Amino acid sequence: MGPSMSEITLRRPDDWHLHLRDGDMLEAVLPYTAAHFARAIVMPNLVPPVTDTAAAQAYRDRILRALPEAMEFTPLMTLYLTEDTNADDVVAGFRDDLITAVKLYPAGATTNSHSGVRNVEAVYPVLEKMAAAGVPLCIHGEVTDPEVDIFDREAVFIDRVLRPLRSAVPGLKIILEHLTTRDAVDYIREADDGIAATITTHHLIINRNAILVGGIKPHYYCMPVAKRETHRLALRQAATSGNPRYFLGTDSAPHPDSEKESACGCAGVFSAINTMACLAHVFEQEGALDRLEGFASLHGPAFYGLPANDDTIRLVRRDAPVAFPDRIETGSGTVTVFDPMFPIHWDVAED
Ligand code: NCD
Ligand code: ZN
């Protein structure tokens, strides 16, 4: 091993998959993301979902109003695709820079996805217009067929839905989000340039044991659910490989503890506070600190066709573990922060 690094400077990162929510929750969580990230792809799964450009514009305004005055942050808005989506509205919103991408949730796959797409072929005409206009599609890649085991839903989605979709609409730019399996890693590596993928911080750190061993641990439950260890290792290999097809989307998804610690708990891990510190730990463990900038700051903008950020952040390795809050208080209740189950020595320097 080479000399250990105690400090690293990166172009400021972006988060290519983030849940900011609305109202009190938005106000509480936004400053944590804005402290480290310049931009984020903001998920549209509000209640009701953000399904047209006017709603995206109103949501963007609420985000900017919730941003503390001294902070800079650019929300990149998405539209929630339904079987009633109007392609002209999507294309106009994209051309006017009001939206950056469209999000496909298979109906019932995750939190607030009941108005998602039931029959993907029904949206092919919209996807064709998006392809022609260069509008990217973000995909939650899981089938929701009750016959398919929940741990297999991502791999089955690739074969049943994604491959046919890509043949039917070959020019569409796609981001397969929050990979959780070796199957998805392999698929992305071997596919053409029209598709890339995001990986979350927590899927690089936990496998399904975190959720199920020694009692049921709802704060590690998210969608897609963490898989077995071999898949986590494949994700770490992909994220630290330097391959520009893989980039960071934290999927930080806050829920009040009362909704997580329940007989039917919500899916979602809130990691915005310590995600960069956890990533530095992971990349250091893999001997790949020099590739963190690509993963967190360069590959995402390159795929979206946006410039990388001009300014930088500095990550510092402290001798003593850094104390992150275990939970935060919000106007909608207490929210537990992702616990990586190892001491974190990295911190984003405030300067
Ligand atoms: C997300 C949420 O809570 O909105 N939950 C999650 O487990 N990731 C929805 C999602 O992105 O699937
Ligand atoms: Zn998400």
Side-chain angles (χ1 to χ4, degrees), residues 10 13 17 26 29 54 103 132 135 162 164 179 207-208 218 248 252 274:
L10 317 175
H17 179 133
L26 165 64
V29 301
K103 173 71 186 254
V135 185
L162 187 55
L179 303 191
N207 63 31
R208 62 200 197 177
L248 175 63
S252 180
N274 56 11

Side-chain angles (χ1 to χ4, degrees), residues 122-336:
V123 297
Y124 280 1
V126 175
L127 300 183
E128 271 156 24
K129 289 192 181 164
M130 284 169 51
V135 185
L137 180 69
C138 298
I139 299 184
H140 182 114
E142 288 191 289
V143 293
T144 54
D145 179 345
E147 313 261 288
V148 177
D149 188 277
I150 192 152
F151 291 103
D152 297 333
R153 288 179 174 195
E154 182 172 277
V156 172
F157 182 91
I158 292 170
D159 287 331
R160 273 199 207 163
V161 183
L162 187 55
R163 289 182 195 275
L165 185 158
R166 296 211 71 219
S167 321
V169 195
L172 184 63
K173 191 167 176 173
I174 293 177
I175 302 92
L176 186 61
E177 302 193 280
H178 41 48
L179 303 191
T180 58
T181 57
R182 180 178 291 279
D183 313 68
V185 165
D186 291 346
Y187 173 78
I188 292 295
R189 197 183 43 247
E190 283 149 29
D192 61 68
D193 286 349
I195 187 163
T198 61
I199 300 178
T200 76
T201 305
H202 51 279
H203 287 113
L204 297 173
I205 294 172
I206 62 162
N207 63 31
R208 62 200 197 177
N209 283 8
I211 313 165
L212 297 170
V213 172
I216 188 155
K217 313 276 175 53
H219 296 292
Y220 294 112
Y221 174 65
C222 66
M223 294 310 289
V225 71
K227 309 297 192 295
R228 62 168 70 237
E229 178 66 357
T230 170
H231 297 291
R232 184 184 74 101
L233 295 177
L235 295 167
R236 282 172 80 107
Q237 206 283 325
T240 59
S241 66
N243 184 329
R245 304 286 197 86
Y246 307 107
F247 46 88
L248 175 63
T250 67
D251 198 8
S252 180
H255 291 279
D257 285 353
S258 56
E259 288 175 27
K260 297 275 307 168
E261 299 167 3
S262 139
C264 183
C266 292
V269 166
F270 175 59
S271 62
I273 295 183
N274 56 11
T275 215
M276 287 309 300
C278 288
L279 279 176
H281 180 102
V282 167
F283 276 68
E284 180 183 44
Q285 276 186 327
E286 298 290 329
L289 265 179
D290 57 330
R291 294 181 173 166
L292 179 56
E293 183 179 47
F295 181 70
S297 317
L298 303 177
H299 303 165
F303 188 75
Y304 273 90
L306 296 169
N309 297 307
D310 285 327
D311 62 336
T312 57
I313 64 166
R314 203 156 54 85
L315 287 155
V316 181
R317 193 184 205 294
R318 313 270 184 214
D319 291 335
V322 180
F324 289 95
D326 295 333
R327 52 191 66 82
I328 61 165
E329 298 307 326
T330 80
S332 308
T334 305
V335 175
T336 293

